[in-house]
Amino acid sequence: YPVLAVKDLVLALAQLRQLQSLHLELGGCGLGDPGSAAIARALPGGLRWLHLELCDCEVGEDGCRALAAALPLELQKLHLGLCHCHCGSEGAKAIADALHGMKGIACLRSLHLDFDNAGVGSVGAQALAKALPASLKELHVDLSRCSIGRDGGHAMATSLPKWLSHLHLDFSGCEIGAEASLLLAEGLPPRLVDLYLGLHGCGLGVSGVRGLAAKLPRLAPQLAELNLDFAGCGVGADGVHALAFALLMLSMLGRGLVTLSLGLAGCTIGEQATRALLAALPENLSKLRLSLAGCELEPSVREDVVSPRIKDIERM
């Protein structure tokens, strides 16, 4: 990333001290710790909304510390994109320290942290979990392809703010295990309107999926959008039957799902479970994404998947 361009950007930001909203995309620019620190120091102190995209850069622990130190305490909306950076657990802990400082002010309503493949370990995930402000209404945390392990998964699952309406968690490839998924099911905030759980390859197994499915009906009064990725989780026929029953209960107890996405690719689910799932699809759906790739469907089930009823549903 050209040094002169960083200097120009810093000078420009220094002139815009009245900014209240800033969306800055610098992903893939090769920005390292010195450049990110310079930009952080130039952020206007009166910001209320900040979207800073630094994915695929060379930001490491020092860059994260500089960003954390520069975050305005009265932010209402924060998006930090640090995927494919070199943050590690120390970088995540620095961001967590900044979030701790915002807890007492209780202004932050929306938080989006993207640490996909950023080297965050269990200690970093636990620090982030403890720092989540109770004031949040929207939370997006992407820790996919990080080594957060069972302890990190446990911490995130048991620390979710209770007043969330939108929750997106991506732990794909993190091997959090079935126990963490059960804790996550218990900790789901009751007023969710939008829920996304990316659990691709997390080692949930049948017990983990069944535990999650059993708690979904509690969300029926408000839930409108549901996105569950269980690809490669060893869901099994019992897990799919549990999901089918949960969908039926959501339809009976709530206002009805509008958007549904289910990822079951690579799972061994069988014909009967597939039929049960198809029969449980809410009739009022406007958007459906159903991934059964590699599930070895029987010919009769394949015909059901492309039945006229499903064709009428818009696919995302």
Side-chain angles (χ1 to χ4, degrees):
Y1 195 79
V3 175
L4 180 61
V6 173
K7 290 175 61 177
D8 290 344
L9 181 55
V10 168
L11 289 173
L13 289 173
Q15 302 301 315
L16 303 172
R17 307 318 296 172
Q18 302 304 313
L19 275 183
Q20 293 192 355
S21 177
L22 175 62
H23 186 126
L24 192 57
E25 296 193 15
L26 297 169
C29 291
L31 201 66
D33 284 344
S36 59
I39 291 171
R41 289 191 294 269
L43 292 175
L47 286 175
R48 296 295 180 266
W49 287 29
L50 174 61
H51 184 129
L52 187 55
E53 195 67 61
L54 296 170
C55 289
D56 296 299
C57 287
E58 301 297 323
V59 180
E61 296 175 6
D62 291 340
C64 288
R65 292 190 185 97
L67 287 171
L71 292 177
L73 291 178
E74 296 185 357
L75 279 173
Q76 298 172 8
K77 186 173 183 178
L78 173 62
H79 180 127
L80 288 179
L82 293 163
C83 64
H84 306 290
C85 289
H86 309 295
C87 309
S89 284
E90 291 302 315
K93 286 168 62 178
I95 301 298
D97 288 342
L99 294 177
H100 269 299
M102 298 178 188
K103 272 190 169 183
I105 300 175
C107 290
L108 196 63
R109 295 291 185 267
S110 176
L111 176 63
H112 189 137
L113 300 174
D114 185 356
F115 287 110
D116 173 21
N117 198 29
V120 178
S122 175
V123 173
Q126 292 178 63
L128 290 172
K130 293 177 183 177
L132 295 176
S135 58
L136 289 176
K137 303 297 183 185
E138 299 182 8
L139 175 62
H140 297 232
V141 178
D142 189 345
L143 289 166
S144 55
R145 294 184 288 178
C146 289
S147 302
I148 67 172
R150 296 174 186 270
D151 290 342
H154 288 189
M156 293 298 300
T158 55
S159 302
L160 298 174
K162 300 304 180 186
W163 301 104
L164 290 175
S165 60
H166 296 72
L167 174 61
H168 288 216
L169 295 177
D170 197 337
F171 297 148
S172 296
C174 289
E175 290 291 338
I176 63 172
E179 186 179 347
S181 72
L182 296 175
L183 291 172
L184 179 58
E186 291 288 346
L188 288 175
R191 294 172 176 81
L192 287 176
V193 175
D194 174 19
L195 173 62
Y196 169 84
L197 297 177
L199 299 168
H200 186 154
C202 281
L204 270 63
V206 175
S207 62
V209 174
R210 289 178 64 180
L212 267 174
K215 299 299 182 180
L216 290 177
R218 292 190 302 114
L219 309 179
Q222 303 294 331
L223 194 64
E225 300 186 27
L226 178 62
N227 188 327
L228 302 173
D229 185 2
F230 294 130
C233 282
V235 172
D238 286 348
V240 174
H241 277 295
L243 287 171
F245 182 74
L247 291 177
L248 289 173
M249 295 301 293
L250 284 170
S251 297
M252 291 174 58
L253 300 175
R255 62 183 184 180
L257 290 175
V258 176
T259 299
L260 174 64
S261 177
L262 289 176
L264 297 167
C267 296
T268 305
I269 59 180
E271 180 175 351
Q272 289 186 344
T274 306
R275 286 184 179 278
L277 181 62
L278 294 175
L281 293 176
E283 294 184 355
N284 294 326
L285 282 177
S286 63
K287 294 183 179 180
L288 171 67
R289 180 181 180 275
L290 184 60
S291 176
L292 300 172
C295 288
E296 296 295 331
L297 302 183
E298 297 295 330
S300 58
V301 180
R302 294 192 194 108
E303 293 172 5
D304 287 347
V305 172
V306 294
S307 68
R309 177 187 169 196
I310 304 303
K311 286 181 179 178
D312 290 339
I313 298 175
E314 177 187 349
R315 290 169 174 79
M316 290 190 298

